[in-house]
């Protein structure tokens, strides 16, 4: 149920820049990992993630950065949409 909008022009560059919308209850069940790094900024809602053995709770205005080779997952635990700006390097979607 996640909506993804690419903000970067294509996949030929070193960074993938996205606008993501997670409806209430959207959850990635299993943690995943991949080469690279990620950072994100929450624009609206409450976003909860697990990165390695650390639970992270982000609300509007909060940001995060982590090494993508560490297993991670995210979910919307709130009653409204989560809207985030997310950056991944290298691009992989």
């Amino acid at each position: 149920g996640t909506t993804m909008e690419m903000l970067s022009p294509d996949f030929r560059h070193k960074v993938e820049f996205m606008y993501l919308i997670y409806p209430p209850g959207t959850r990635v069940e299993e943690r995943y990992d991949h080469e690279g790094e990620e950072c994100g900024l929450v624009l609206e809602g409450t976003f909860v993630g697990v990165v390695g053995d650390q639970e992270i709770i982000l609300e509007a205005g909060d940001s995060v950065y982590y090494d993508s080779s560490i297993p991670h997952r995210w979910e919307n635990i709130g009653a409204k949409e989560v809207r985030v700006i997310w950056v991944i390097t290298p691009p992989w979607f």
Side-chain angles (χ1 to χ4, degrees):
T2 303
T3 301
M4 299 180 186
E5 179 183 342
M6 287 291 295
L7 300 176
S8 48
D10 54 48
F11 294 109
R12 293 179 286 164
H13 294 86
K14 295 179 184 179
V15 173
E16 181 176 286
F17 187 44
M18 297 180 296
Y19 174 62
L20 305 171
I21 301 171
Y22 286 72
T26 302
R27 174 186 173 109
V28 174
E29 294 295 328
E30 294 186 27
R31 292 190 282 172
Y32 56 97
D33 60 86
H34 51 90
E35 174 189 351
E37 300 171 309
E38 295 185 37
C39 59
L41 171 66
V42 176
L43 303 174
E44 182 179 321
T46 303
F47 212 27
V48 173
V50 176
V51 178
D53 60 359
Q54 182 179 10
E55 181 177 83
I56 301 167
I57 300 173
L58 303 174
E59 296 181 329
D62 292 339
S63 61
V64 66
Y65 163 84
Y66 56 93
D67 182 321
S68 302
S69 68
I70 300 169
H72 55 281
R73 70 174 184 82
W74 293 94
E75 68 181 289
N76 178 351
I77 63 165
K80 64 180 182 176
E81 290 181 331
V82 167
R83 295 174 180 264
V84 299
I85 299 293
W86 217 255
V87 177
I88 300 173
T89 183
W92 73 284
F93 272 106

